[in-house]
Amino acid sequence: MAKRGGFPGGGMPGNMANLMKQAQRMQRQMEEQQKELETKEFTATAGGGAVEVTVTGKREVTKVKLAEEVVDPDDIEMLEDLIVAATNEALRQVEEESGAAMSKLTGGLGSGMSGMF
């Protein structure tokens, strides 16, 4: 009577062992990419350069630079909108670079694959 379940010899077949090694290597590479991304800075502007926001790869705002002419006490809402726009653009740049790095590592397998590791 044949044995149920498992693999002969109790170990993983060669292909499965190779897949596990590849997955572990990919996970290490992804961790290295994440650390590298966290050290980078991303800067975006809004209002034709009137507002400049810099964020890190950790998605932390590190600098906000305002042109003097954009600081109008009678139009605070415009300044707020420009800060939001520049911040969102800088964060989008972080996401774009992060996605490109992951796609490069996974060979375009998609973002669903990265959640597995």
Side-chain angles (χ1 to χ4, degrees):
M1 188 165 168
K3 238 172 126 175
R4 289 183 165 215
F7 298 105
M12 285 191 261
N15 286 343
M16 183 62 84
N18 285 338
L19 282 174
M20 291 300 291
K21 285 180 185 177
Q22 287 176 348
Q24 289 170 346
R25 181 179 34 216
M26 187 182 297
Q27 184 175 8
R28 280 192 305 275
Q29 290 173 333
M30 290 168 82
E31 289 168 357
E32 290 170 9
Q33 282 283 343
Q34 185 62 34
K35 286 178 186 175
E36 183 180 322
L37 178 69
E38 289 176 358
T39 65
K40 292 184 176 184
E41 288 190 334
F42 301 83
T43 301
T45 62
V51 174
E52 181 180 284
V53 175
T54 302
V55 299
T56 67
K58 290 182 181 182
R59 296 163 182 82
E60 296 172 341
V61 176
T62 58
K63 184 170 101 177
V64 175
K65 185 176 177 185
L66 306 174
E68 195 173 307
E69 65 271 9
V70 79
V71 182
D72 180 357
D74 295 328
D75 196 0
I76 297 293
E77 286 182 32
M78 181 190 69
L79 178 57
E80 292 170 342
D81 290 344
L82 291 173
I83 292 170
V84 169
T87 302
N88 286 335
E89 174 58 22
L91 292 171
R92 189 199 59 73
Q93 290 175 17
V94 173
E95 290 300 318
E96 184 178 292
E97 180 145 337
S98 177
M102 290 305 139
S103 179
K104 182 178 170 186
L105 286 176
T106 60
L109 291 175
S111 61
M113 184 76 170
S114 65
M116 293 176 59
F117 303 105

